[in-house]
Amino acid sequence: MRNAQAIVDLRLEKPSFRVVEVVRDGEVRYEVRGKLDAPVPPIRESKYLSKQQCVEIYRWMLLNRRMEQALENLYKQGQVVGGVYFGLGQEACSCASAYALRKEDWLAPMIRNQGSLLVKGFPARDIMMQYMARAGSPTKGRDASSHFGDIKERNVCAPISMLGDLIPVLAGVALGARMQGRNIAVMTYIGDGGQSTGVFHEGLNFAAVQKLGLVLIVENNLWAYSTPTEMQFAVEDLATRAPGYGVPGVIVDGTDACQVYDAAHEACERARRGEGPTLIEAKMMRMKGHAIHDAAGYVPRELFEFWRKRDPIARFEKYLLEKKWLTPAENKKLIDDVEKELEADREAAVASPMPKPETAATGVYCEEGCHEIKLKYGPVKVAQRKDEGKPKESEAAVHLR
Amino acid sequence: MPTVTYLEAIRQGLWEEMERDPAVFCIGEDIGIYGGAFKVTDGFIHHFGAERVIDTPIAESAIVGAAFGAALTGMRPVVEFQFIDFIVCAFNQITNMLAKSHYRWGAPAPVVLRGPCGGNVHGGPFHSQNPEMYFVHTPGLKVVAPGTAYDAKGLIKSAVRDNNPVIFLEHKYLYRRIKEELPEEEYTVPLGKARVARGGGDLSIITYAAMLHVALEAAEILAKEGIDVEVLDLRTLAPLDREAIAATVRKTSRAIILHEDTKTGGIAGEVTAVIHEECFDDLDGPVVRIAALDTPVPFSPPLEEVFLPKVADVVREARRLKTY
């Protein structure tokens, strides 16, 4: 039975504009065409989140943003090795999606999903130490930014810089768990740029064919480094990719934590029922350049203004205050606590030494005694034998002799 | 002791490992009911079930990526490439995802990537390649290339048990051409260890895979002329057995490196450098490289004949080297 799937759209606002490349006064630049004066939509009521859960997500988003501000300061102080990557404007997408995962579920972040890593249990100091290339960082100074993971406790797969490769990897995590008798949810992200890669297709198709519990969040943040979506793909919504794979597609406002959570939660539940992958397109905008060096001068200013009014944290804060799920006093305490936590983490991170040079040559191979490889979810189902239990020498015709 | 082919030895090795450890599973194209293009996994799906013998879409990056993902949960995947030529379609997953994972973030990648390599079967440019050096150059990978049925079985078992990504190159010319008596009892052959396939005192031929048999044939001819050749079978190309290379060269003072891979950037250059680093003072003559032409593998038999190194090339170069 092949899957026929319709697109579900949870948005309360459907922004309609295009970025076009124009020649004006002898210069080539990007301009916006369309309506940018629409009123800011409300936060959609969640079907699943309790008051306490909403406040927790809000706190993660705040921690995400304030940590990135702390990283920017560390960069300005010369503490950061290399660049800094920001998820400004995307905190709801990172935090509310990862919040839908259980402990046994897996996550693979991309460069801007630092909030997802916080939700999955890494302290902010780990991310700070990654940026500062310190010995105490999860990779012991061997890799930067969000490029780390944890196969023992937190179930996080480290990303690589090449885009799309995590999609089949996470599908494989779900495959491994299923062989051990468990259907789990495995979540990863891809951008409007990364979805152009071949391995995006390979991975999503493989997950669909095998009905693996992949929750693929396509973060449509309008800019692939400096390239607008108009030059990246020719469809209106990336969620329409999903039916082509026999997979449900959902569109959410990526600046609305409740929409992101509801879609992610339903996708995770579907994954746990063994019904296969879901593609969620989260529409939002990257509110900084590609990395700290990039002033994003190519982005038309009015786009920033449009999306600044849709700031995921300011809107969620207002929503919680208006619902009286958070009093101004509680909010102040929450913000102070986040700042205190970050200050303590910043101090711990700065205190970590640089790695010892002689460690550079170690650990290329997993040597004897280095890791014990154990099944994570339980014994593998072993099939009933249908023969005498010996390989038979094959005399069949082969491709080339 | 039963006599089995090189292909059958690999089948037995894989079968035994799947029997021994339920975490081992096979994944690849047409490996299930069809049993694989070369029938290495023929019958596996009936015995081990479709859960552990998985047919996939034609998507090498997805296959390798999924294998790595499954390994993160404690599984030990064995990936089949229908022809090893197609391994480059998964190049990024192998060289960036798998090879670097232990070094970068401490996640072992116990994944075997196996498939038929090599020419002399008129497979043309895309069904005859020897891709070992793409991977030998990448830290974190192991590269294995057995030349005998005994080693093929023992090495595939070690590859499955290894905690690192292992590229396992099965020479398709050898699949059904060589046979050997294998022990009834279980055995493994360690990765990273070369083997002296023939002892001798005058000259060393350092080689592996199908060229092992070319070297041994040349050695027989040379023996009749009074040139006593030692043949070292590298068996594993990464990590390279530097001690074994140095030991044979110290013994004979003359070295020929013979491989079926193309010459420029082939492992002969690396072995030459090892010889210079370890035992330059022992050399009585220049290190000689014999390898395939620096061209794609041509299809037509007379062209492929010229492309591949031959016994006559080895005999000629050995005679020349002996004059030093």
Side-chain angles (χ1 to χ4, degrees), chain A residues 269-337:
Chain A
E269 287 295 303
R270 185 177 137 79
R272 293 175 192 124
R273 290 193 302 269
E275 293 172 9
T278 305
L279 185 154
I280 300 168
E281 179 186 8
K283 293 183 190 272
M284 54 205 169
M285 187 164 112
R286 190 193 74 203
M287 297 299 280
K288 276 186 177 278
H290 174 64
I292 202 162
H293 68 275
D294 172 17
Y298 43 84
V299 178
R301 297 294 102 181
E302 56 268 43
L303 266 188
F304 277 123
E305 284 160 32
F306 177 87
W307 288 101
R308 202 170 287 123
K309 290 180 202 148
R310 285 150 182 80
D311 182 83
I313 296 178
R315 275 163 72 215
F316 204 35
E317 180 185 40
K318 185 163 162 275
Y319 171 81
L320 295 173
L321 290 168
E322 282 175 1
K323 271 178 94 82
K324 309 244 184 305
W325 282 8
L326 192 64
T327 66
E330 285 166 344
N331 190 30
K332 184 177 181 310
K333 181 170 184 318
L334 188 147
I335 294 168
D336 288 348
D337 286 351

Side-chain angles (χ1 to χ4, degrees), chain B residues 49-123:
Chain B
E51 295 83 4
R52 291 174 69 205
V53 185
I54 302 171
D55 272 329
T56 67
I58 302 173
E60 283 79 7
S61 283
I63 298 166
V64 174
F68 176 61
L72 294 177
T73 70
M75 302 297 290
R76 289 187 176 273
V78 178
V79 171
E80 174 171 308
F81 292 95
Q82 200 152 78
F83 284 81
I84 207 71
D85 308 63
F86 300 103
I87 197 168
V88 292
C89 301
F91 195 75
N92 191 45
Q93 290 284 15
I94 297 168
T95 59
N96 283 318
M97 188 74 76
L98 275 68
K100 295 174 177 50
S101 72
H102 188 263
Y103 186 80
R104 287 196 313 132
W105 63 290
V111 179
V112 177
L113 304 161
R114 50 160 289 271
C117 71
N120 214 4
V121 294
H122 319 310

Side-chain angles (χ1 to χ4, degrees), chain B residues 165-294:
Chain B
V166 180
I167 317 275
F168 193 85
L169 304 169
E170 303 168 3
H171 203 293
K172 68 174 85 63
Y173 184 79
L174 302 180
Y175 264 159
R176 292 163 198 270
R177 280 188 179 80
I178 59 169
K179 284 191 172 187
E180 208 174 333
E181 284 189 351
L182 299 190
E184 295 272 16
E185 64 276 10
E186 190 180 18
Y187 70 94
T188 59
V189 172
L191 305 189
K193 295 282 177 215
R195 175 183 75 101
V196 177
R198 183 188 200 280
D202 292 336
L203 186 152
S204 299
I205 302 175
I206 300 167
T207 189
Y208 57 96
M211 286 297 125
L212 168 66
H213 303 278
V214 170
L216 291 169
E217 207 180 319
E220 287 302 310
I221 294 167
L222 291 161
K224 291 177 189 137
E225 301 173 12
I227 302 175
D228 186 21
V229 172
E230 177 148 304
V231 177
L232 184 73
D233 178 2
L234 289 171
R235 302 198 290 192
T236 298
L237 307 181
L240 202 52
D241 189 346
R242 297 174 69 96
E243 290 75 21
I245 293 166
T248 187
V249 175
R250 285 197 189 104
K251 184 177 169 194
T252 65
S253 305
R254 293 178 184 86
I256 291 172
I257 305 140
L258 166 66
H259 58 63
E260 191 186 303
D261 186 12
T262 51
K263 191 171 193 175
T264 303
I267 204 162
E270 188 61 33
V271 174
T272 304
V274 169
I275 293 168
H276 283 79
E277 286 160 2
E278 299 285 339
C279 48
F280 179 74
D281 291 343
D282 294 280
L283 286 173
D284 283 345
V287 176
V288 174
R289 293 188 288 168
I290 304 173
L293 297 183
D294 281 328

